[in-house]
Amino acid sequence: MNPLVAFVCGSDSDLPKLEAGLQILKDFGIPFEVRIISAHRTPEATVEFAKTAEERGLRVLVAVAGHAAHLGGVLASLTTLPVIGIPISSSALDGLDSLMSTVQMPPGVPVASVGIDAARNAAIFAAQILGASDPVIREKIREFKRRQAEDVMAKDRRVREQYS
């Protein structure tokens, strides 16, 4: 099956921060690809990737970038697919610069953003976007949220027993 989600990194140094998100997509059975394409160092490759993403079957793009973090905005300017930005804590500003670059898009070029280094949330959000039109994925998300709630309630029971 063709990938539905692409995690596009500006640098290979971002890869270790993606593991939790990629695992979520694996758990949901959502095919994905991971690419290294820089908005600044490989602009032609970035344009080619964005302009052909939809015809290759991709449905959600996740832009992973640190420092100036222009990758999400560049991708969003070149495609109608939803783009989720993951700001990376790769600079002296510990990701705040990346966060601001990701969320401060000009009118008409939206990029959704998750928290700094929050690949897990980006993957869940990508699954929710896909789940809006895919009942199988939607049910997997419901089950995920149910298990998540059960885990919290079990921790609550344990802490109440311990401190009551």
Side-chain angles (χ1 to χ4, degrees):
M1 181 180 242
N2 287 339
L4 298 175
V5 177
F7 273 70
V8 185
C9 303
S11 170
D12 63 344
S13 63
D14 302 333
L15 291 172
K17 297 184 180 183
L18 300 185
E19 291 304 318
L22 300 179
Q23 187 59 54
I24 288 286
L25 294 178
K26 288 176 189 173
D27 292 347
F28 287 161
I30 297 172
F32 63 90
E33 68 180 23
V34 179
R35 299 287 305 272
I36 307 234
I37 305 172
S38 170
H40 301 113
R41 293 181 297 263
T42 59
E44 294 89 4
T46 303
V47 169
E48 177 67 19
F49 173 83
K51 286 188 170 187
T52 63
E54 188 175 358
E55 71 189 46
R56 291 183 290 108
L58 290 167
R59 295 294 169 253
V60 181
L61 306 181
V62 181
V64 184
H67 301 282
H70 291 144
L71 184 58
V74 170
L75 292 174
S77 74
L78 296 165
T79 183
T80 60
L81 295 175
V83 177
I84 303 167
I86 304 176
I88 297 296
S89 59
S90 60
S91 70
L93 297 178
D94 216 19
L96 189 57
D97 52 340
S98 306
L99 176 64
M100 292 301 159
S101 294
T102 302
V103 300
Q104 293 297 334
M105 290 294 107
V109 188
V111 174
S113 182
V114 294
I116 297 167
D117 297 337
R120 187 172 192 264
N121 275 354
I124 294 166
F125 189 38
Q128 288 176 313
I129 291 169
L130 296 170
S133 61
D134 185 321
V136 172
I137 294 173
R138 190 167 47 246
E139 188 54 38
K140 289 178 181 181
I141 295 165
R142 278 195 187 101
E143 177 61 21
F144 170 82
K145 289 184 177 249
R146 186 191 61 72
R147 283 191 320 269
Q148 192 170 242
E150 285 177 357
D151 290 347
V152 170
M153 295 311 297
K155 291 173 184 176
D156 178 57
R157 281 189 299 279
R158 284 193 298 274
V159 77
R160 283 186 290 142
E161 290 169 5
Q162 182 178 352
Y163 294 105
S164 297

